[in-house]
Amino acid sequence: MTTAFFTLHRDLPREGPGLAEDVAWAAHVTGLRAEGRVLDAGCGPGGDLGALGRAVPRGRVLGLDRVPHFVAAARERFAGDPVIRAEEGDMAAAPGGPYDLIWSAGAVYFLGISAALAAWRRALTPSGAVVFSHPTLWEDTGPARAFWGADWCATEGQHRAEFAAAGWGVIATRRVTEAGWMAYYGPLLARCDALQDGADPALAEVIAEARAEVASWREVRDQTGYMLYAVRPT
Ligand SMILES: C[S@@+](CC[C@H](N)C(=O)[O-])C[C@H]1O[C@@H](n2cnc3c(N)ncnc32)[C@H](O)[C@@H]1O
């Protein structure tokens, strides 16, 4: 990722769609205990760490990301918090387990579903679960696929088949709402507005790309989005 990308993305509260209520749902459907241990895999600037911490007030939450300045932002946000900490590292290694919950918002596609689940299976407690949000086609249309620009994007049914083949069962699913998308895109658009005047060509390009992504999402939001998948080894 370029310097211009990080100039635009600096100081955003989160780096992908989602709400605190998605985390509360994940804690509820997986039966997470107040003493639970949680990994936020690909935590970005820590947008979900507060909600995860509230789910395990007597437990521990580790936010892990490979981008140093996201980790620095998360650390600053939760400095002094007795439950939450953030570290730089590779989420595939899932250090510090075993975990009752591995939460991952919008990051599993960096590894691929099967690879992520294979890596995390050994990092879970016997009753542990993984909850992650992932691009999903509500309708398998050309524009919806083009939005993701990737051939791995699939319907919920196709994702469920992949979980089953990998030896994982689905506990529950839930769509990330439009409010969840705006929790990401709202601050991103505000940052585009703030930086537009005086932007050099590289920054102007990433601003234009961000605006185009939001416009494309508005076109396809009835056809695709993020699904939250709560899964457990079978
Ligand atoms: C789309 S962002 C989502 C961030 C955060 N979960 C959120 O919702 O705000 C994906 C994050 O995954 C991180 N990431 C990607 N691959 C990773 C890896 N192998 N190990 C750790 N972090 C990774 C990126 O640095 C980025 O912060």
Side-chain angles (χ1 to χ4, degrees):
M1 284 180 269
T2 63
T3 306
F5 176 89
F6 283 122
T7 301
L8 178 61
H9 284 254
R10 187 169 293 280
D11 297 334
L12 294 181
R14 56 182 308 121
E15 283 293 326
L19 295 174
E21 63 201 55
D22 296 323
V23 173
W25 171 84
H28 175 68
V29 298
T30 60
L32 187 64
R33 297 166 305 115
E35 300 79 16
R37 294 180 60 154
V38 179
L39 174 67
D40 185 348
C43 67
D48 292 323
L49 290 176
L52 289 167
R54 289 193 291 281
V56 290
R58 294 192 295 282
R60 280 204 265 158
V61 179
L62 172 63
L64 196 69
D65 204 282
R66 67 181 177 186
V67 173
H69 94 237
F70 286 154
V71 174
R75 278 191 180 147
E76 190 179 325
R77 210 159 156 179
F78 296 99
D81 190 297
V83 173
I84 300 165
R85 70 198 165 88
E87 280 180 11
E88 200 181 320
D90 182 359
M91 63 183 178
Y99 293 103
D100 300 293
L101 171 66
I102 297 179
W103 164 264
S104 187
V108 159
Y109 61 81
F110 285 94
L111 300 178
I113 290 176
S114 297
L117 294 181
W120 293 342
R121 181 184 287 264
R122 61 180 174 272
L124 291 177
T125 59
S127 61
V130 172
V131 182
F132 67 102
S133 60
H134 195 75
T136 299
L137 304 171
W138 317 145
E139 295 173 23
D140 196 350
T141 60
R145 282 189 176 274
F147 173 71
W148 297 107
D151 57 11
W152 44 257
C153 192
T155 62
E156 178 179 350
Q158 290 163 335
H159 286 316
R160 281 176 176 263
E162 187 173 356
F163 305 146
W168 292 69
V170 175
I171 302 164
T173 64
R174 158 188 167 110
R175 289 186 188 186
V176 172
T177 61
E178 288 196 21
W181 281 83
M182 288 317 295
Y184 170 48
Y185 282 156
L188 179 64
L189 289 173
R191 186 113 176 110
C192 289
D193 291 345
L195 294 174
Q196 185 80 59
D197 288 348
D200 65 23
L203 183 56
E205 190 179 334
V206 294
I207 288 172
E209 284 169 5
R211 291 193 195 282
E213 180 186 322
V214 179
S216 300
W217 169 73
R218 291 190 200 284
E219 295 292 315
V220 299
R221 61 189 155 176
D222 293 336
Q223 301 162 35
T224 190
Y226 267 27
M227 181 71 88
L228 284 154
Y229 295 98
V231 298
R232 189 171 267 143
T234 50

